[in-house]
Amino acid sequence: MSTTLRRILTAGAGTLGGALVPLLAHAEITTYADLIRIIERVQAWLFWLLMSLAVIFILVAGYLFLQAGSSPENLKKAKNQVIYAIVAVAVAVLAKATVDIVRITLQ
């Protein structure tokens, strides 16, 4: 991965972390429902972050496919990046489903 792309992703992750701080800073936890609401809010943010990153990685992999030409090494990099993006989407969906299943079970 290029240094520029790595810097962009690091800045984006830092920005999201900074966005979560105000979300949690003014949260008053007085009941169990308040805690669940905060956990669901953080989970939603993280879910969409992971999905957004997966889309970015798929777009970058597509670019790598276009630029690979006849280089087998670059094609392998692009294929691996698509696989990692698919794994990220699967992890995000499973994490969201797990939280929902636990919430429904506890109600």
Side-chain angles (χ1 to χ4, degrees), residues 50-51 54 57-58 79-95:
L50 195 54
M51 295 301 279
F57 277 104
I58 289 172
K79 286 179 186 178
N80 285 339
Q81 198 158 4
V82 169
I83 290 170
Y84 297 149
I86 290 170
V87 168
V89 168
V91 167
V93 169
L94 285 174

Side-chain angles (χ1 to χ4, degrees), residues 1-15 53 56:
M1 186 182 307
S2 72
T3 306
T4 305
L5 183 60
R6 198 171 288 156
R7 286 182 184 165
I8 290 170
L9 292 175
T10 304
T15 302
L53 285 175
I56 290 170

Side-chain angles (χ1 to χ4, degrees), residues 33-95:
D34 292 338
L35 179 62
I36 295 298
R37 183 176 40 84
I38 291 170
I39 291 172
E40 286 175 347
R41 208 181 272 179
V42 170
Q43 180 253 343
W45 272 84
L46 294 176
F47 175 76
W48 288 111
L49 168 70
L50 195 54
M51 295 301 279
S52 300
L53 285 175
V55 168
I56 290 170
F57 277 104
I58 289 172
L59 291 173
V60 170
Y63 176 76
L64 289 176
F65 268 121
L66 292 174
Q67 296 298 318
S70 60
S71 172
E73 181 180 316
N74 288 344
L75 282 174
K76 186 175 180 177
K77 275 185 185 179
K79 286 179 186 178
N80 285 339
Q81 198 158 4
V82 169
I83 290 170
Y84 297 149
I86 290 170
V87 168
V89 168
V91 167
V93 169
L94 285 174

